[in-house]
């Protein structure tokens, strides 16, 4: 009969015990994406993706949308699609990629038109700055055109 000490020495049993003890710690390293919001400033709109711990991202830009894949994360919001309908951002959509290893969230931000954007991290957030200068210039030009036509 094997003694308890001999069981602990066996490499497979020792490895299984290590995994059993480490499993809760490994699972704790998945960030929770808590919210996505849009803030408006005079010169830009800012999409804010907030998590409960620092996160990294992989970015894919096209002319009028930004796709962010966030490995080791889980999107927690019940709202999968949120209409924004401001001057720059039409909507954003959050989801968890099925069967992704590691767990990965995807956030898609759809712009109303192609605009310059900057994506960066700050603490536990990913920030997307959407430059409104082209829209502001167009509105000012339209306003100036109306003023000169009124004369």
């Amino acid at each position: 009969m094997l003694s308890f000490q001999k069981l602990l020495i066996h490499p497979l049993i020792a490895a299984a015990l290590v995994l059993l003890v480490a499993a809760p710690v490994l699972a704790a390293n998945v960030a929770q994406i808590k919210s996505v919001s849009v803030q408006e400033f005079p010169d830009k709109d800012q999409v804010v993706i907030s998590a409960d711990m620092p996160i990294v991202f992989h970015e894919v830009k096209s002319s009028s949308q930004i796709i962010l894949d966030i490995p080791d994360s889980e999107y927690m919001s019940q709202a999968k699609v949120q209409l924004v309908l401001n001057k720059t951002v039409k909507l954003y959509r959050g989801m968890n990629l099925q069967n992704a290893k590691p767990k990965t969230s995807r956030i898609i931000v759809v712009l109303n038109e192609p605009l310059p954007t900057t994506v960066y991290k700050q603490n536990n957030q990913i920030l997307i700055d959407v430059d409104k200068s082209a829209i502001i210039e167009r509105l000012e030009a339209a306003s100036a055109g109306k003023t000169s036509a009124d004369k």
Side-chain angles (χ1 to χ4, degrees), residues 51-80:
D52 64 348
M53 60 190 290
I55 48 180
V56 297
F57 64 91
H58 305 286
E59 171 187 3
V60 177
K61 279 188 185 181
S62 71
S63 62
S64 61
Q65 72 177 9
I66 302 155
I67 301 170
L68 298 177
D69 285 345
I70 308 167
D72 297 313
S73 71
E74 185 173 12
Y75 183 69
M76 300 302 293
S77 176
Q78 296 300 318
K80 299 300 179 195

Side-chain angles (χ1 to χ4, degrees), residues 38 45 47 64 81-93 108-113:
V38 178
D45 287 339
V47 180
S64 61
V81 176
Q82 179 66 49
L83 289 174
V84 177
L85 301 176
N86 71 3
K87 288 183 179 115
T88 62
V89 179
K90 184 182 296 184
L91 63 90
Y92 60 82
R93 179 177 185 194
I108 301 171
V109 178
V110 179
L111 304 176
N112 287 319
E113 62 183 84

Side-chain angles (χ1 to χ4, degrees), residues 22-143:
V25 174
L26 294 174
N29 288 332
V30 174
Q32 306 297 309
I33 306 298
K34 298 290 189 183
S35 66
V36 180
S37 61
V38 178
Q39 299 176 0
E40 294 188 44
F41 297 98
D43 60 337
K44 67 180 178 184
D45 287 339
Q46 187 175 69
V47 180
V48 180
I49 302 165
S50 299
D52 64 348
M53 60 190 290
I55 48 180
V56 297
F57 64 91
H58 305 286
E59 171 187 3
V60 177
K61 279 188 185 181
S62 71
S63 62
S64 61
Q65 72 177 9
I66 302 155
I67 301 170
L68 298 177
D69 285 345
I70 308 167
D72 297 313
S73 71
E74 185 173 12
Y75 183 69
M76 300 302 293
S77 176
Q78 296 300 318
K80 299 300 179 195
V81 176
Q82 179 66 49
L83 289 174
V84 177
L85 301 176
N86 71 3
K87 288 183 179 115
T88 62
V89 179
K90 184 182 296 184
L91 63 90
Y92 60 82
R93 179 177 185 194
M95 67 189 79
N96 294 308
L97 299 180
Q98 298 297 318
N99 303 318
K101 301 285 187 227
K103 280 188 173 186
T104 301
S105 300
R106 174 170 285 172
I107 308 294
I108 301 171
V109 178
V110 179
L111 304 176
N112 287 319
E113 62 183 84
L115 293 166
T117 59
T118 306
V119 183
Y120 56 100
K121 291 185 332 177
Q122 186 175 58
N123 301 322
N124 294 352
Q125 297 178 326
I126 298 172
L127 303 174
I128 304 170
D129 290 345
V130 184
D131 186 352
K132 291 197 279 195
S133 60
I135 294 172
I136 293 168
E137 288 172 10
R138 209 169 40 240
L139 290 173
E140 288 173 349
S143 177

